Amino acid sequence: MSRHQSPLPRLALLAAGLFGASLLDASPAFADLRMCNTSGSRVGVAIGYRDAQGWTTEGWWNIGPRACETLLRGTLAARFYYVHAVDYDRGGEWTGKSVMCTRNKEFTIRGIEDCLARGYDRAGFFEVDTGEQKSWTIQLTDTTGSAPARP
């Protein structure tokens, strides 16, 4: 899971459709955090979350065009997750106002403070509110607009 290039100025911004797990489905329930890439490009995804030990950021998952990937398996440990994604093919990124630590190669980083002093990069992440569901799917889509307003 490595990022192939530095992102260009933001060409693609977030227009995410968020879908919770169906409670009425008769099939066995799977509790995971999933990401679906509905764009026509390959994307690299990093996530951030707070658990009992504090803040963690992880990356990179490489997701092909019109494909889905499980990012975290099991019942979700947090209500809010944070996402930063990079469009490998056309440049640009999905970003937000929450600043967390990343690296150019595969990583798991504890803590979101002093990223640069600790030898990491800083990146903006957008917030996803799972509504305390046990599983959640985040959908990345192409857009020419800006990120939706925050509640």
Side-chain angles (χ1 to χ4, degrees), residues 5-88:
Q5 62 188 6
S6 296
L8 299 174
R10 293 199 280 182
L11 298 176
L13 296 173
L14 171 67
L18 305 175
F19 302 96
S22 171
L23 299 176
L24 302 175
D25 189 2
S27 63
F30 296 102
D32 297 324
L33 179 65
R34 292 179 43 84
M35 171 77 64
C36 290
N37 170 20
T38 66
S39 79
S41 298
R42 295 170 303 129
V43 299
V45 175
I47 61 169
Y49 55 90
R50 186 174 178 92
D51 61 17
Q53 290 80 38
W55 287 100
T56 299
T57 52
E58 297 184 52
W60 296 96
W61 285 267
N62 293 314
I63 306 175
R66 295 179 247 334
C68 296
E69 181 79 29
T70 298
L71 305 181
L72 297 174
R73 295 196 183 281
T75 302
L76 300 181
R79 176 177 175 172
F80 296 98
Y81 288 84
Y82 299 83
V83 177
H84 178 85
V86 177
D87 185 320
Y88 290 143

Side-chain angles (χ1 to χ4, degrees), residues 72-133:
L72 297 174
R73 295 196 183 281
T75 302
L76 300 181
R79 176 177 175 172
F80 296 98
Y81 288 84
Y82 299 83
V83 177
H84 178 85
V86 177
D87 185 320
Y88 290 143
D89 295 330
R90 293 182 297 203
E93 58 190 352
W94 289 263
T95 186
K97 295 179 182 178
S98 299
V99 177
M100 299 185 183
C101 304
T102 63
R103 293 178 66 170
N104 283 336
K105 58 184 180 179
E106 185 175 343
F107 67 90
T108 298
I109 301 170
R110 282 283 182 190
I112 59 173
E113 65 287 330
D114 303 319
C115 298
L116 299 174
R118 295 190 298 148
Y120 302 122
D121 299 320
R122 293 173 34 133
F125 286 65
F126 67 86
E127 183 178 86
V128 175
D129 182 352
T130 67
E132 298 183 7
Q133 296 294 315

